[in-house]
Amino acid sequence: MNDLSGAYVPGSSPLHRLPAGAKLAGLAVACTVLVLLPSPAALGGAAVVVAGLYAVSRVGPAAAWAQVRPVRFFVVALFGLQWVFVGLEGAAVTSLRVLLAVALAGVVTLTTRTSAMMAALERCLRPAALVGLDPFRLSLLLSLTVRSVPVIAALAVRVREAQRARGVERSLRAFAVPLVVSSLRHADALGEALSARGLDD
């Protein structure tokens, strides 16, 4: 069940060798810390730490950029809206929080195999068996959800670029229809991969 979305980058860095459970727990703690950081300066320090994590992971600039590239327009729009309603500093804080949280999730995704992530989630979800839920299938669902977010975001970027090339970037229909079709094709391919692994039910 490795790397159904293709996001994982093989490597032997310290982050690659770190247990998946520790990385997921660290991600939860780090995102909580980001919410608590009060100023752009503090978040700037956090950005240096995140950049250091990418350097340690040795996944390469292209893979690192691919994690935040799909949300760049959303972050710019969020910054503009926040600037109008809460001012420049508040806009910078909110936008940096979102960007850094996505980047941190990207580090985990790039350095953790799907199988390892699922195993860690399955251990955490074992109590769900007491109410009749299958921990394995829950962990699979959560893992695929996490993996699918950057895939769908990348599809949205591709559709937007195609819109610009055709000169219809203001048409909601020209954006929504190809995105839905591409997402369904991705879901079909993912379903076939799961079926091939005996998880068609």
Side-chain angles (χ1 to χ4, degrees), residues 46-176:
V48 173
V49 174
V50 173
L53 291 174
Y54 273 96
V56 170
S57 71
R58 299 195 294 270
V59 296
W65 170 239
Q67 302 308 299
V68 297
R69 180 174 179 268
V71 298
R72 66 192 189 282
F73 296 121
F74 171 76
V75 171
V76 170
L78 178 64
F79 179 84
L81 288 172
Q82 290 290 305
W83 193 352
V84 170
F85 291 107
V86 300
L88 180 59
E89 182 173 342
V93 167
T94 301
S95 302
L96 282 171
R97 282 173 178 164
V98 172
L99 188 62
L100 292 176
V102 171
L104 283 169
V107 172
V108 175
T109 300
L110 291 170
T111 61
T112 311
R113 293 184 180 276
T114 303
S115 55
M117 188 180 296
M118 282 181 55
L121 289 171
E122 187 175 355
R123 287 193 295 271
C124 294
L125 294 169
R126 279 176 184 167
L130 299 175
V131 293
L133 299 176
D134 186 348
F136 172 77
R137 294 187 180 276
L138 284 175
S139 67
L140 175 63
L141 175 63
L142 291 174
S143 180
L144 291 179
T145 299
V146 171
R147 295 280 188 180
S148 295
V149 169
V151 174
I152 301 303
L155 290 175
V157 171
R158 194 178 308 164
V159 171
R160 181 63 71 184
E161 291 173 349
Q163 273 189 288
R164 289 199 190 91
R166 297 197 307 269
V168 291
E169 61 269 20
R170 294 188 178 182
S171 171
L172 179 60
R173 181 179 179 181
F175 175 75

